[in-house]
Amino acid sequence: MNWQQILIIVIGALLLIGGLPAIWRFAKGSARIILSVILFLVIVALIWWAITGLAAAV
């Protein structure tokens, strides 16, 4: 694992930790759940891409 993969994983974790409270603060009702799921899936995809995509590129 190189520094680029580690950087993307750290950024993804920070977005998840910082993004969920922001969504819950500003969104109301079912929008909270939808936005939380979208954020979670985007970050999981980003981390998955970092692990698999960058590993294949190196």
Side-chain angles (χ1 to χ4, degrees):
M1 189 172 286
N2 61 17
W3 67 270
Q4 292 163 326
Q5 288 172 292
I6 294 168
L7 184 67
I8 291 172
I9 292 168
V10 168
I11 290 171
L14 289 175
L15 283 172
L16 190 62
I17 293 166
L20 281 176
I23 287 172
W24 281 86
R25 189 175 306 124
F26 295 117
K28 300 284 183 251
S30 60
R32 282 181 173 176
I33 296 164
I34 294 166
L35 289 171
S36 297
V37 168
I38 290 170
L39 179 73
F40 183 73
L41 290 175
V42 166
I43 291 169
V44 167
L46 184 72
I47 292 172
W48 181 258
W49 171 79
I51 293 169
T52 59
L54 289 175
V58 172

